Amino acid sequence: MVQEDLSGMEAGDDRPVAVGSGSHDLEKPLLGKNEGSSKPRSSHHRRHSLRSRRDAVLPNSAYAVFSTLVVALGPLSLGFALGYTSPTQASIIEDLNFTIAQFSTFGSILNVGCMIGAIISGRLADYLGRRRALLLAVIPLLAGWSLIVIGKSAIPLILARTLIGFGGGIISFTVPMYIGEISPKHLRGTLGTMNQLAITIGITLSYICGMFFKWRFLALLGGVPEIALIVGLLFVPESPRWLAKAGKKEELSSCLQKLRGADYNIANEIADIQAAMEASNALPSVKLSDLKQRKLYRPLIAGIGLMVLQQFSGINAVMFFSKSIFATAGVSNPDIASVALGTLQVFMTLAAAGLMDKAGRRILLMVSAGGMALSLFLVGFSFYLRTLQPEKMTDALNTFICELALVSLLVYIATFSLGIGAIPWIIMSEIFPAHVKGVAGSVATLINWFCSYAVTMIFNYMLLWSSTGNNMEIHLCCIIVLSWN
């Protein structure tokens, strides 16, 4: 998914903050003599000195954490929309007499809306500011959920999903950027994972709520995070980098002081932000055609290749239609299995955040792709076993097939979250020069959502045609990822 893609686009460009003596002073012996005096320092004086130096090095991050949690309501609402089709597929088809084609369009058209939103999101965020861009994104989201609540045919529901996708596309670009720009350096990686984490929580919530509520009331619940986001945005600041870019120096100083705490010296960070903005403005403007240059073309192919293979691994098809997949596999309670799938993804996303910088990108990609290839092979094998003389199926064999499909899909989600879920977005933010990250990121986001649309649109047809072959083909895509790495 559109997960952590753009958090490093501008935030990653600033220089290290100079904080006077910094951590180097902390390495000096505390039992020395005061400069210009032979009298040793008292124990109280040493403790006070150490405390002041630590306060000078690390800002108070409470307000930045609060602001991150507020804007994370945006990706949480996107995750809720991504998971919405799984628990509602059977009831919507039954209540509105949808065909497979209509429901596949209803599920996949969200990606088209996200493509449109992603295309214009960069300009909106630069022109209006990050906060107002998020407020604007809430309008189509609320309109979309309202249409689903009152819609009685395919056309209004498909239009509704397009509107939800449009708002989600703006959110998928703006939220990671905002989090990266307000976060202090020592928490930027941790807070950056909140975007992907919120999406997985939203998916899981839609699975859980779908067990207890009808599809129209579930759509009504889908508007709750957006309303909470509107209220929360009244209490969070604008991005300091956008304020610097807009030339609002007084607001920049006030905003950054709130984000870092009243006792933190922000002079060096303000100077770094302004210097970064001046350097960025001095760079030539980049057009889409500039990506054809040889020095940019090869990293673009590598980055987009990872995006294509990420979606062709079938992740969104699994998350969109997990309930029907488990039902086809013969799992007795597909709702519980879907909730387990979403919950596991939440915990594995947290685990991946801790491993990302320690294990390295390449090894995580290889482990992730290998695990996905094996698990999807086993899912396909379980479907294949079910087709062999079904009239002679024993209870023991049926239980084994169900458990094999369930465990294999859980392993698939776990290994996806470990590497292929987030790493393509991180690599996209690392392999391009700063002045082309915006254009390259827009191209990557567009292609990612397009591939997601293609996979989710044809998945139900493939499942009807050959459930075994469908999983085998996805498994082959994972092998390609593994071989490519």
Side-chain angles (χ1 to χ4, degrees), residues 16-27 49-61 184-187 260 263-266 268-269:
V17 178
V19 283
S21 55
S23 61
H24 174 71
D25 285 354
L26 294 178
E27 296 172 2
S49 175
L50 179 58
R51 191 181 302 115
S52 339
R53 286 170 183 166
R54 284 175 176 166
D55 290 342
V57 172
L58 295 180
N60 185 339
S61 306
K185 287 180 179 294
H186 70 290
L187 287 179
R260 301 296 180 259
D263 298 328
Y264 186 74
N265 186 352
I266 61 172
N268 290 319
E269 189 169 356

Side-chain angles (χ1 to χ4, degrees), residues 10-11 14 63-64 67 130-131 177-184 188 236-249 251-260 266 269-270 272-274 277:
E10 292 181 340
D14 52 345
Y63 192 40
S67 301
R130 315 319 187 208
R131 286 174 69 248
M177 178 184 290
Y178 177 84
I179 293 175
E181 291 175 349
I182 68 167
S183 302
R188 188 166 293 155
V236 302
E238 182 52 83
S239 158
R241 287 183 170 272
W242 184 83
L243 293 173
K245 191 173 184 178
K248 301 181 178 183
K249 295 184 179 179
E251 293 181 42
L252 167 63
S253 177
S254 172
C255 165
L256 197 59
Q257 194 69 71
K258 289 179 181 178
L259 286 168
R260 301 296 180 259
I266 61 172
E269 189 169 356
I270 287 181
D272 286 341
I273 291 173
Q274 291 175 335
M277 289 300 101

Side-chain angles (χ1 to χ4, degrees), residues 1-3 5-6 9 78 109-126 133 137 140 162-177 425 437-450:
M1 287 305 309
V2 176
Q3 306 57 26
D5 48 331
L6 299 163
M9 282 189 180
L78 176 59
I109 202 69
L110 177 86
N111 300 286
V112 175
C114 285
M115 283 190 280
I116 301 170
I119 291 171
I120 69 168
S121 57
R123 292 188 180 276
L124 280 177
D126 283 341
T162 307
L163 288 171
I164 292 172
F166 177 73
I170 298 174
I171 283 172
S172 69
F173 182 99
T174 308
V175 169
M177 178 184 290
W425 297 109
K437 282 182 180 178
V439 175
S442 296
V443 171
T445 303
L446 179 65
I447 291 177
N448 185 278
W449 283 117
F450 175 78

